[in-house]
Amino acid sequence: MTRPRRRPGGPRPPATRPPGGRPPGTRPPGRHDTRVPEPRRPHRPLTPVQPPPHPTELFTERLMLVLSGQRPLHWVARHIAHTAYDDLARLAESRPLGTVGGHRPAVHRVGHYEVRPGVFEVFARVGAGTALRALAFRLHRGDDQRWRCTAVEVAGPPLHRG
């Protein structure tokens, strides 16, 4: 079947298709693959977005990793202010939250008290095996809205490493 020619500026001739279109279940002309479109899956709602962790939880985890020797001191250096860096460096040398009897330390509980807006006193219980230690630190929110640790202490009985 020949297609009528289109005159410039004139109307388009009607499309020439076989009556009824393609038979059902056939591929378009020129398609040689055997893939079949996947059936549509029902829409699943997205998992709810988790709120970001509280700064006290983040800093507890960071300090625990440094004080247990799992991370180097410079890993948290930009988050530590003033003399707290010197205190943390001194504490990190002795690894007060190190591994005990093959057990790595884990944070058991974190609590905080807001002294005034932008200042938190934080206390945490860190355990490794049967040993428990207390970690306390202070967080200040600076003018740049970033949290920085300004004091850090570790207390508890000496750990017997095995």
Side-chain angles (χ1 to χ4, degrees), residues 66-69 71 73 86-96:
V66 170
L67 293 171
S68 66
R71 292 285 186 166
L73 179 61
D86 298 332
D87 295 340
L88 185 60
R90 180 182 44 77
L91 284 169
E93 286 178 5
S94 64
R95 292 194 318 164

Side-chain angles (χ1 to χ4, degrees), residues 27-50:
R27 290 188 292 260
R31 183 170 167 187
H32 301 290
D33 63 350
T34 57
R35 294 179 296 168
V36 176
E38 292 183 21
R40 292 193 79 130
R41 294 182 214 153
H43 174 70
R44 288 182 295 177
L46 298 174
T47 57
V49 176
Q50 295 291 325

Side-chain angles (χ1 to χ4, degrees), residues 48 74 137:
H74 68 268
F137 57 96

Side-chain angles (χ1 to χ4, degrees), residues 4-18:
R5 286 203 142 164
R6 180 173 177 228
R7 292 181 306 201
R12 284 196 115 149
T16 55
R17 283 188 170 234

Side-chain angles (χ1 to χ4, degrees), residues 53-68 70 75-76 80 88 97 105-112 120-127 133-139 149 152 154:
H54 197 271
T56 58
E57 295 169 357
L58 286 174
F59 273 83
T60 300
E61 189 70 24
R62 288 175 181 169
L63 291 173
M64 187 215 42
L65 290 172
V66 170
L67 293 171
S68 66
Q70 296 178 56
W75 184 65
V76 293
I80 310 296
L88 185 60
L97 302 179
V107 177
H108 288 264
R109 182 173 183 273
V110 178
H112 65 273
F120 286 113
E121 293 277 338
V122 185
F123 48 92
R125 188 181 309 150
V126 180
R133 301 291 299 236
L135 171 64
F137 57 96
R138 187 176 192 130
L139 289 179
C149 179
V152 62
V154 176

